[in-house]
Amino acid sequence: MYIYLRKFTAMILTVLFVSVITFVSFEIIPGDPVLSRLGVDADEAQIKALTEELGLNDPLPVRFMKWAAGVFTGNLGESSRYSRPVIQLISERIPVTVSLALISMALIVVFGIPLGILSAKYGDRLPGISISVISQLGMAIPSFWTGIILMFVFGLILKWVSPGGYTSWDVNPAEAFKSLLLPSIAIALPSIATVTRYTRNSIMEQMKKDYVRLAYSKGLKTNSVLFGHVLRNALIPVITVLGMITANILGGSIVIEQVFTLPGVGRLLINAISTRDMPLAQGMILYISLVIVLVNFVIDIIYTLIDPRIKLK
Amino acid sequence: MKKKRISLRIGVIIISSIMAMMLISFFYTPYSVTEMNKRERFSPPNSSHLLGTDNFGRDILSRLMKGSQTAFFVGGVAVSIGLIFGIAIGATAGYFGGVLDEFIMRIMDSMMAFPGILFALMFVSIFGVGIKNTIIAIGIMSIPSFARITRSGYMQHKEFEYVKNARVKGISTFRIIFAHILPNVMSPIIVAASMGFSSAVLSEAALSYLGLGVQPPDPSWGRMLNESQVYISMAPWYAIAPGIMITLIVLGFNFLGDGIRDMQDKGK
Amino acid sequence: MSENILSIKNLNISFETQKGFFSAVKDISFEVRRNSITGIVGESGCGKSLTSLSVIGLLPENAVTEGRIKFMDEEILPYNEKVMRKIRGKEISMIFQEPMTALNPLWKVGRQIDENLKLHTVSDKKERFSRVLEIMNDVGLPDVVNLYHKYPHELSGGMRQRIVIAVAIACRPKLIIADEPTTALDVTIQAQILELLKEIKIRSGSSIIFISHDLGVVREICDEVCVMYSGYIVEKANTAAIFEKQYHPYTLGLIRSIPTVESKGKTLYVINGKVPSIYDDIPGCPFASRCEYAEKKCEVHLPELREISGNHYVRCAKAGEITWNRR
């Protein structure tokens, strides 16, 4: 139990740290938030009233507390551009981004791990070498370029999907999936390559261990040794990379939503930044980072459940 | 062993060719980078424009060449920022250990869990877009990975005899950290620097693609991809060339890093 | 049926690496009698582990093996992977040096013993379970039902080594290869494990190849001893004979470096110099550079392994010529 408590405390500390950073960063923005809202020719009384309303006269820690309370009650203020609550804007965009993330994650697990196993098994032979060459390429190609090319080939030349179109899940699930598949592939590709390489190295590392020799000395076939003994041991470290992958997926989706003009969280964020809609940008950056911290926490817990060596400590 | 040498060779070949291209671009490009030519808009690759022209009739090859300057500049400065701060932070945490180490590494871990692009976006939304802030943001992003690697080297080496001897001799802590230990823990850091270069170039390209990185008239491969996307049905070649360049340079630095690591492993 | 369970003739093992071709085991011949323990002694890198791996057919992939290995009157060289898989774990099994790492950390220990039975002999699950408990009892483990469901990290080093041994004896193999099975253990546990191995030999009639760098331990347990140096067997005889009289200066050195009650307080004997690198091609006796009795001819001419007295073999040109001074 102790270990969970420790991990939980660490997670809370990280959440606190991320919140403070996000808050303070946006506090030091050059420019007066009141003036930027009212325009330069606002009169004295207006400025005073809005300053009061926004609570800008309070000392910094008090403002942080108020803001932090808002974060957890879902009250992040109003977007200066859309004049609507930030939380509302974000929640409208969540389905697209979450769908992208889930499809990408599925692609990464379904392709990354088996390719890693294949590449470890046929290390020096043709399949192994070609997988490792392709995974090198996969890590080097920028995902937004993959996106552009995919859209050009499948949208403009083959016309399998309508470029730039998005159908929501509740309108037509099949169409929705179709419109999300290409962007998900673009997001997933670099991570598939990473997971492939990681799985491969982890398996190769395990294959050198003594227990593998013991398994062989029992008279097991290579496949039985690989799938019965090595794989589970090798996949434990791979699970920890999935945390990093989550960050990659969300980062990738910010860019890819732009490429495919999908109405997701990422696109909203880019809009917020381009139009200097600070409350919106601040809220979104915080929420995205909290999601990542939480996912990492969950992965950490899963990790301790899978590995019997950690349970007892 | 044969295969390993290949990594290094491919890396060196790719990087030195792109570097040569960059050096040439300081003195010579086939056409002016900024000069627009209405009559030659969207001309496909031909003998006078090897890679074709863009929506303003500018020569794509010339812009690609100039773009390599941006890539190397952003990558070089960002990696230097990451190296300087990463080594200082990692060395402090690793050498002194204890609560300080715990505290520093907690922060580094939180930074690492952050998607780099998100941090960079936050940075430019606060301090404004442009090449300077792009570089600083990418540089800061790369600090944690350098710090982590440096730290583990120091944790190992501070227990070694030569360090204990130096301490007994009364050599200052500062000198022990930077003159005695640092050269011994450099090899993995060099590998990380090469890999860091790749991710810096990728981040710059992504930011510039989003329109939040390098601003016109500075040429940038990421920015070129952004512009090309609008005209992709008319001029697909415009979208191909910059993408290949980004892929090549990233591939080059990754291979270089792998190759250097294999060389170091072999030396042991 | 011959009296030898295993006979190795003129075995050579070499490797093809990027640095070139080198041979690690050179012209090794020895026999393992039924129901006996044969020790192979030597420093690390002398080829003793490779020799044992060649018996079970688990050499690294880039190894080239020449010579003859006969197990239970069947030639197993060149290896047939299918045949070897049937032999491995059933007829020949192995005990490894590091009990800490030799077990799969994610499998309950009972299942690791069970796997061996499942693969080769018993198919009924219930029967296997009671067999596993029986075997665990045999190797001296307490509270076996409870222990069956434990993970390796929950056991002490000595207990883990007993599990490793249990895996090895599960199918009552004819030959067990024990590769430094006690090196990683505390001295008291070491003695217990040696006792256990002796017991196994007596009870089940298995033969054991016991690999060690420690002549003291070998004296405790082995019936026959082969001393290896730099890929060669330099001396072999039965244990009593070799401790009675050593014909090779290297064997002498090894025995003199065993700490004894009499040697207490005195400086321990040390063999000077270093083992030659495997990449060096030495035409003469590999020990010549470290030997205090070496002459010119030792450096140019490799001596044969010859029988110097009844069943006592030595590979030294000067053996018998002079009496080595013991202490």
Side-chain angles (χ1 to χ4, degrees):
Chain A
M1 249 4 255
Y2 171 70
I3 186 169
Y4 297 120
L5 203 69
R6 228 191 94 135
K7 282 184 189 299
F8 188 73
T9 325
M11 195 260 300
I12 295 296
L13 281 177
T14 316
V15 167
L16 202 67
F17 173 73
V18 170
S19 320
V20 171
I21 293 286
T22 321
F23 179 74
V24 173
S25 309
F26 279 88
E27 282 301 308
I28 54 175
I29 289 181
D32 190 327
V34 177
L35 279 186
S36 70
R37 272 204 183 190
L38 294 174
V40 208
D41 38 42
D43 65 40
E44 204 63 21
Q46 273 179 307
I47 292 176
K48 226 173 174 185
L50 190 63
T51 313
E52 194 59 42
E53 192 198 318
L54 293 174
L56 291 174
N57 288 331
D58 298 332
L60 199 67
V62 175
R63 273 189 284 150
F64 174 71
M65 291 311 290
K66 278 188 182 166
W67 180 75
V71 169
F72 292 104
T73 51
N75 178 13
L76 278 172
E78 253 186 25
S79 148
S80 56
R81 178 162 173 251
Y82 297 93
S83 300
R84 288 174 55 200
V86 166
I87 194 76
Q88 209 181 349
L89 284 168
I90 296 177
S91 47
E92 282 170 14
R93 306 295 189 106
I94 282 177
V96 173
T97 306
V98 168
S99 316
L100 278 178
L102 292 179
I103 300 174
S104 309
M105 189 53 105
L107 289 173
I108 292 164
V109 173
V110 168
F111 287 98
I113 292 174
L115 282 175
I117 297 171
L118 274 179
S119 145
K121 205 177 155 192
Y122 301 105
D124 289 335
R125 277 177 283 164
L126 194 65
I129 292 171
S130 43
I131 290 174
S132 72
V133 168
I134 292 169
S135 71
Q136 276 282 12
L137 259 177
M139 288 194 301
I141 298 176
S143 61
F144 57 94
W145 190 49
T146 319
I148 295 173
I149 301 292
L150 284 177
M151 195 154 78
F152 177 64
V153 173
F154 292 99
L156 293 173
I157 296 180
L158 299 172
K159 300 203 190 310
W160 289 359
V161 290
S162 56
Y166 169 69
T167 316
S168 119
W169 288 104
D170 38 85
V171 175
N172 183 343
E175 278 300 311
F177 181 74
K178 231 172 100 183
S179 57
L180 290 172
L181 187 61
L182 288 184
S184 300
I185 292 174
I187 295 170
L189 219 54
S191 299
I192 290 176
T194 312
V195 170
T196 301
R197 283 172 74 83
Y198 208 85
T199 308
R200 171 176 177 268
N201 292 347
S202 182
I203 291 176
M204 304 277 245
E205 198 56 44
Q206 291 292 327
M207 284 304 249
K208 290 183 210 148
K209 297 264 166 98
D210 282 354
Y211 74 83
V212 173
R213 287 202 301 162
L214 182 75
Y216 272 116
S217 82
K218 286 176 180 177
L220 288 168
K221 288 180 193 163
T222 304
N223 271 346
S224 317
V225 175
L226 183 61
F227 291 102
H229 288 271
V230 169
L231 199 55
R232 224 180 117 201
N233 279 291
L235 286 185
I236 286 179
V238 175
I239 288 170
T240 54
V241 210
L242 292 183
M244 190 188 85
I245 299 286
T246 314
N248 285 351
I249 289 177
L250 289 177
S253 117
I254 294 174
V255 184
I256 293 299
E257 284 171 19
Q258 201 73 10
V259 177
F260 287 86
T261 53
L262 293 172
V265 174
R267 203 163 153 73
L268 185 65
L269 177 63
I270 302 295
N271 279 339
I273 292 169
S274 313
T275 57
R276 304 196 63 73
D277 187 342
M278 290 312 156
L280 186 54
Q282 188 182 25
M284 294 188 69
I285 287 175
L286 183 70
Y287 275 136
I288 295 175
S289 12
L290 290 188
V291 167
I292 291 165
V293 172
L294 272 175
V295 169
N296 272 298
F297 174 69
V298 171
I299 285 171
D300 223 18
I301 296 295
I302 294 176
Y303 181 76
T304 57
L305 292 178
I306 291 179
D307 192 337
R309 282 163 294 186
I310 305 174
K311 242 185 235 165
L312 275 193
K313 280 176 211 157
Chain B
M1 214 67 49
K2 265 185 214 154
K3 206 181 119 209
K4 286 171 182 171
R5 279 244 182 255
I6 285 177
S7 290
L8 190 66
R9 247 180 244 167
I10 296 177
V12 169
I13 291 171
I14 295 178
I15 296 304
S16 49
S17 337
I18 301 177
M19 245 179 198
M21 180 169 137
M22 174 195 75
L23 291 176
I24 294 170
S25 74
F26 279 108
F27 311 104
Y28 167 79
T29 49
Y31 291 86
S32 155
V33 184
T34 46
E35 194 191 324
M36 302 181 191
N37 186 342
K38 282 254 165 69
R39 248 176 302 157
E40 297 211 348
R41 289 182 72 195
F42 300 128
S43 55
N46 57 47
S47 55
S48 54
H49 297 279
L50 286 175
L51 295 176
T53 60
D54 66 5
N55 48 323
F56 294 114
R58 296 173 297 192
D59 180 53
I60 291 175
L61 177 63
S62 308
R63 291 183 61 76
L64 271 189
M65 289 173 71
K66 273 279 185 226
S68 63
Q69 290 179 14
T70 310
F72 275 105
F73 180 65
V74 173
V77 181
V79 168
S80 310
I81 293 174
L83 273 178
I84 292 168
F85 288 95
I87 289 177
I89 291 172
T92 314
Y95 188 79
F96 296 106
V99 184
L100 184 69
D101 174 42
E102 186 76 19
F103 178 72
I104 292 177
M105 288 330 280
R106 218 24 298 135
I107 295 176
M108 292 294 128
D109 279 353
S110 331
M111 277 176 77
M112 259 181 146
F114 233 65
I117 189 86
L118 190 62
F119 177 80
L121 287 176
M122 182 165 109
F123 197 86
V124 295
S125 65
I126 293 165
F127 297 103
V129 294
I131 192 164
K132 196 182 81 196
N133 289 337
T134 307
I135 292 175
I136 297 174
I138 296 172
I140 295 176
M141 256 155 57
S142 67
I143 291 174
S145 65
F146 291 122
R148 203 162 240 285
I149 291 161
T150 313
R151 169 179 175 264
S152 67
Y154 273 83
M155 293 208 348
Q156 216 178 23
H157 277 259
K158 72 173 173 189
E159 304 295 339
F160 285 175
E161 285 305 314
Y162 77 93
V163 176
K164 288 181 182 162
N165 279 339
R167 234 179 273 157
V168 173
K169 276 190 217 151
I171 294 169
S172 77
T173 309
F174 186 82
R175 257 193 81 79
I176 292 179
I177 291 180
F178 291 106
H180 291 248
I181 305 182
L182 189 58
N184 289 306
V185 299
M186 251 347 250
S187 2
I189 300 177
I190 293 169
V191 175
S194 187
M195 305 290 190
F197 216 107
S198 319
S199 51
V201 171
L202 271 179
S203 308
E204 183 271 318
L207 274 179
S208 301
Y209 170 77
L210 294 174
L212 299 169
V214 176
Q215 298 297 310
D218 290 335
S220 147
W221 296 335
R223 176 120 208 133
M224 287 170 81
L225 281 178
N226 178 332
E227 290 160 6
S228 77
Q229 202 189 342
V230 185
Y231 308 105
I232 191 155
S233 49
M234 273 180 279
W237 59 87
Y238 189 15
I240 304 291
I244 289 178
M245 285 313 295
I246 299 170
T247 307
L248 271 182
I249 195 169
V250 172
L251 208 58
F253 277 108
N254 282 347
F255 270 123
L256 196 65
D258 274 350
I260 296 172
R261 176 171 40 217
D262 294 337
M263 210 168 62
Q264 290 165 352
D265 286 350
K266 208 180 124 197
K268 269 170 202 162
Chain C
M1 214 161 67
S2 78
E3 70 166 323
N4 294 329
I5 188 93
L6 177 79
S7 96
I8 296 183
K9 275 226 155 56
N10 309 107
L11 178 72
N12 283 286
I13 302 171
S14 42
F15 290 92
E16 247 189 287
T17 68
Q18 278 83 6
K19 280 187 183 171
F21 197 76
F22 71 86
S23 65
V25 168
K26 299 156 192 163
D27 196 25
I28 294 266
S29 303
F30 69 94
E31 290 82 37
V32 176
R33 282 188 289 113
R34 275 176 200 278
N35 200 13
S36 77
I37 304 184
T38 302
I40 303 182
V41 195
E43 288 158 293
S44 48
C46 72
K48 55 188 196 297
S49 290
L50 286 174
T51 308
S52 66
L53 286 175
S54 73
V55 173
I56 199 167
L58 286 178
L59 286 168
E61 267 179 26
N62 59 339
V64 183
T65 323
E66 287 166 305
R68 294 171 68 185
I69 301 176
K70 219 157 96 177
F71 173 71
M72 297 209 305
D73 299 320
E74 298 284 340
E75 298 278 354
I76 57 172
L77 205 65
Y79 302 117
N80 173 331
E81 188 49 32
K82 250 189 181 158
V83 174
M84 285 314 288
R85 271 208 303 271
K86 290 218 173 84
I87 293 177
R88 262 180 231 141
K90 185 162 187 282
E91 311 286 358
I92 307 179
S93 65
M94 211 159 166
I95 300 168
F96 293 93
Q97 177 174 358
E98 273 293 337
M100 294 301 171
T101 53
L103 294 167
N104 183 341
L106 300 183
W107 277 32
K108 290 171 178 167
V109 293
R111 190 176 160 207
Q112 308 204 29
I113 304 169
D114 178 78
E115 189 184 28
N116 215 351
L117 294 174
K118 190 175 165 189
L119 199 62
H120 295 294
T121 49
V122 198
S123 56
D124 179 63
K125 211 171 169 182
K126 268 193 191 143
E127 200 186 327
R128 283 206 316 265
F129 181 70
S130 56
R131 260 300 280 152
V132 170
L133 296 186
E134 213 175 288
I135 297 164
M136 287 171 80
N137 242 325
D138 287 350
V139 295
L141 286 164
D143 195 11
V144 287
V145 181
N146 195 0
L147 216 55
Y148 186 101
H149 299 287
K150 295 257 193 241
Y151 287 100
H153 71 273
E154 300 172 276
L155 309 183
S156 69
M159 280 165 111
R160 281 190 228 185
Q161 193 61 311
R162 284 176 198 272
I163 299 286
V164 174
I165 293 173
V167 171
I169 65 168
C171 298
R172 301 180 192 281
K174 304 277 187 312
L175 178 66
I176 300 167
I177 300 166
D179 190 354
E180 308 238 11
T182 60
T183 310
L185 301 172
D186 291 345
V187 184
T188 44
I189 316 258
Q190 210 174 65
Q192 291 169 15
I193 297 290
L194 290 179
E195 269 322 296
L196 176 62
L197 288 176
K198 272 198 243 178
E199 232 181 272
I200 288 169
K201 179 191 93 168
I202 295 163
R203 223 175 22 213
S204 63
S206 307
S207 301
I208 299 177
I209 296 181
F210 187 89
I211 296 170
S212 180
H213 64 275
D214 184 348
L215 258 183
V217 173
V218 166
R219 182 180 206 167
E220 293 278 311
I221 185 170
C222 296
D223 304 306
E224 314 270 341
V225 183
C226 300
V227 180
M228 282 186 73
Y229 185 81
S230 193
Y232 294 102
I233 287 184
V234 293
E235 187 160 2
K236 74 176 177 187
N238 72 49
T239 313
I242 218 164
F243 278 91
E244 171 68 32
K245 186 163 172 59
Q246 302 83 37
Y247 287 99
H248 198 284
Y250 177 65
T251 318
L252 177 69
L254 281 183
I255 284 183
R256 280 170 65 183
S257 55
I258 303 172
T260 59
V261 184
E262 302 98 76
S263 69
K264 200 179 163 197
K266 294 182 198 159
T267 327
L268 271 180
Y269 180 79
V270 178
I271 305 175
N272 287 318
K274 270 199 317 203
V275 188
S277 156
I278 39 174
Y279 298 107
D280 295 344
D281 196 17
I282 299 163
C285 170
F287 190 61
S289 60
R290 301 170 75 183
C291 178
E292 47 188 302
Y293 312 99
E295 287 174 12
K296 193 96 202 155
K297 66 172 176 186
C298 298
E299 272 158 33
V300 291
H301 205 75
L302 176 70
E304 289 291 308
L305 188 70
R306 60 195 163 106
E307 188 169 8
I308 195 151
S309 67
N311 265 328
H312 197 145
Y313 293 82
V314 66
R315 194 188 278 277
C316 175
K318 300 185 69 185
E321 271 179 40
I322 50 169
T323 352
W324 318 123
N325 41 338
R326 296 198 65 182
R327 291 185 208 271

